[in-house]
Amino acid sequence: MDEGMATAVAGVAGMVGAVFGGGLSGLFTKRAADKAAAATAQAARDTGDRTVRAAIEGARRAGFEATRHLELQTQHAQRDWLFQRRVDALVDFMEAYDVFARATPTYYGAIENDTERDEIRALIGTAQLGVTQAHFRILAFGPEHLRNPSGAVREALEDYTDALSNWDRAEEGRTLARRRLGLHVRDAGGIMAQAHSDFIDEVTAYIGSAEAARGSTG
């Protein structure tokens, strides 16, 4: 090969080397850039996933707290509602009994003196019905430990009413029988008064303990 040919070959080789060398360098650079971009994208996805998971967990916890708060509010509202129903029933029971207790001496006197008593009978009947209705509400709403005491008052009140009615219907001429019926009225009235006193003690204790419990729970 002469000097001119060698020079030409060397030039071509240099051009090829430059072309291929530049191509490989560009290829490696592109691959490196792609890897960097992929790593950046993966990091972004990981960060995004963690952010999303954190957001989901935060929302879940917030939802749980909100649900728990709502449940507590509901429980408090239910307790308040039940307590008020109980108080209403107890108050109605005691008010009806009070009407009955204030009316019966008048009825007693009317029987003794044989005076008009239709109106007082009607008032006593209405009061007795009020006691019965309130008693059934106590049975429905509680509290359980007041169901029997209220039932005892109701039964004693009915016995007293029956004793008064029997005394009222007794024939005037049967003095001994009327006297015995009159004594039974007094005995029945004493039993009723004691049952009512016991009931009032139970109610007072219940209201006090219930109010203390409501105060301690806010």
Side-chain angles (χ1 to χ4, degrees):
M1 180 181 296
D2 59 16
E3 183 178 350
M5 180 62 71
T7 301
V9 170
V12 171
M15 291 176 61
V16 171
V19 170
F20 277 90
L24 289 174
S25 176
L27 178 61
F28 288 139
T29 300
K30 183 177 184 304
R31 286 181 177 176
D34 288 345
K35 288 182 178 180
T40 300
Q42 184 61 47
R45 284 195 295 272
D46 291 344
T47 300
D49 289 344
R50 286 195 296 272
T51 301
V52 170
R53 286 197 297 269
I56 292 173
E57 179 62 17
R60 186 191 68 79
R61 290 180 180 177
F64 174 80
E65 292 298 329
T67 300
R68 181 59 180 159
H69 182 65
L70 181 60
E71 288 176 348
L72 290 174
Q73 285 186 324
T74 301
Q75 290 171 3
H76 290 159
Q78 289 173 340
R79 284 197 296 269
D80 288 344
W81 182 90
L82 180 58
F83 179 73
Q84 191 58 54
R85 300 291 81 72
R86 289 174 172 177
V87 169
D88 290 344
L90 293 172
V91 169
D92 288 348
F93 186 95
M94 291 184 291
E95 287 182 346
Y97 178 91
D98 185 61
V99 172
F100 179 91
R102 284 186 285 107
T104 48
T106 302
Y107 186 28
Y108 188 98
I111 295 172
E112 276 193 322
N113 300 316
D114 194 23
T115 57
E116 173 59 38
R117 44 194 180 270
D118 288 343
E119 186 175 339
I120 198 67
R121 282 198 199 101
L123 179 60
I124 287 174
T126 300
Q128 185 177 0
L129 177 61
V131 168
T132 299
Q133 291 174 335
H135 168 66
F136 282 120
R137 286 162 57 200
I138 294 171
L139 292 180
F141 297 121
E144 184 174 354
H145 72 281
L146 288 179
R147 290 168 178 162
N148 286 339
S150 69
V153 174
R154 174 174 173 259
E155 290 177 6
L157 184 147
E158 290 180 346
D159 288 344
Y160 184 50
T161 303
D162 289 343
L164 282 168
S165 297
N166 291 335
W167 186 36
D168 188 9
R169 290 193 299 266
E171 296 180 10
E172 288 291 337
R174 300 179 61 185
T175 305
L176 181 59
R178 282 180 60 83
R179 184 178 296 116
R180 287 175 179 171
L181 289 172
L183 292 174
H184 180 57
V185 166
R186 291 169 188 169
D187 291 342
I191 293 172
M192 182 187 70
Q194 184 59 56
H196 180 256
S197 178
D198 294 342
F199 175 72
I200 292 299
D201 289 343
E202 294 283 355
V203 170
T204 301
Y206 166 70
I207 296 298
S209 62
E211 288 291 357
R214 282 155 55 87
S216 64
T217 57

